[in-house]
Amino acid sequence: MTAPDPAAGGASGLRRAGRRRDQLIALGWLVGVWNLLWGDFSWGNLLGGVLVGVAVLLFFPLPPISFGGRVRPRALLVLAVTFVAELVSASVRVAAIAVRPGYRPRSAIVAVRLRVRTDLNLALTAELLSLVPGTLILETDRDAGVLYVHVLDVRGPADLTAGRDRVLAVEERVVRAIGSADELRLLTTDPRNQEAP
């Protein structure tokens, strides 16, 4: 009969503590959103937000998302600056399309298989893409790591390729900002060999 490994118990305790910390952070966000929805930060709304937040976390638990990466400030700054630049240029482009008389833009749906298939990378890449006007995530295939992206104003195959490249560029910036060393190595794989059907 072998004795229990104290290191295993310590790792399990750390995971539980990390999970509790994540739940407290989620509860804080839920309480904040609840108060913003009511438009008033009062003791009643604060208590109501805590009750609703606890109920949401109890009855609709989120899957645990592990973070094994490392935050790189320079790459994070590049991600933020590039996102703002894309947001401004895409807003101008969509506004120009909207006011052009008689112009009916064609759109397409592009399936892009991400190279790093973690839940965190999938969620962050999808969020950053959806916030930029002219692109919208219609569906995600979590198991295969595929994003189905609606792209506005597609005139030919070159625009489809550009849309796919834009998704992979966003993924690369996210991974370079917060990814692990293993995830950074995955960026060197050829995305053409991983395209979704």
Side-chain angles (χ1 to χ4, degrees):
M1 186 168 174
T2 60
D5 184 9
S12 174
L14 285 174
R15 275 195 300 273
R16 274 196 302 274
R19 179 79 173 142
R20 284 194 196 108
R21 182 199 66 224
D22 292 345
Q23 287 176 332
L24 283 174
I25 291 170
L27 179 63
W29 279 105
L30 289 170
V31 170
V33 168
W34 179 263
N35 281 272
L36 287 172
L37 288 173
W38 281 101
D40 179 31
F41 285 93
S42 66
W43 288 109
N45 284 342
L46 185 66
L47 180 62
V50 169
L51 292 175
V52 169
V54 167
V56 166
L57 291 173
L58 271 176
F59 297 114
F60 306 103
L62 296 171
I65 295 179
S66 59
F67 177 67
R70 185 170 70 92
V71 176
R72 296 171 187 85
R74 182 178 293 159
L76 196 59
L77 181 64
V78 168
L79 174 68
V81 169
T82 308
F83 171 72
V84 170
E86 286 182 349
L87 190 64
V88 170
S89 67
S91 298
V92 169
R93 186 168 157 251
V94 170
I97 291 170
V99 298
R100 191 180 306 172
Y103 182 67
R104 296 184 59 147
R106 293 173 50 191
S107 58
I109 298 171
V110 180
V112 183
R113 187 180 304 274
L114 299 182
R115 293 163 289 189
V116 179
R117 298 182 190 169
T118 63
D119 288 342
L120 183 61
N121 182 56
L122 196 69
L124 288 176
T125 303
E127 281 297 322
L128 289 174
L129 287 167
S130 289
L131 289 171
V132 173
T135 57
L136 180 68
I137 302 298
L138 297 176
E139 187 177 343
T140 61
D141 184 344
R142 181 181 174 207
D143 295 330
V146 176
L147 295 178
Y148 294 90
V149 186
H150 177 269
V151 182
L152 183 67
D153 197 23
V154 175
R155 297 177 187 154
D159 291 332
L160 293 175
T161 302
R164 182 176 287 113
D165 291 344
R166 193 165 45 246
V167 172
L168 292 172
V170 170
E171 177 200 22
E172 181 170 347
R173 287 192 293 271
V174 167
V175 173
R176 290 198 184 284
I178 61 166
S180 67
D182 290 336
E183 292 170 349
L184 284 171
R185 279 192 288 278
L186 287 174
L187 292 178
T188 61
T189 59
D190 188 355
R192 289 174 298 185
N193 297 335
Q194 298 188 355
E195 285 182 10

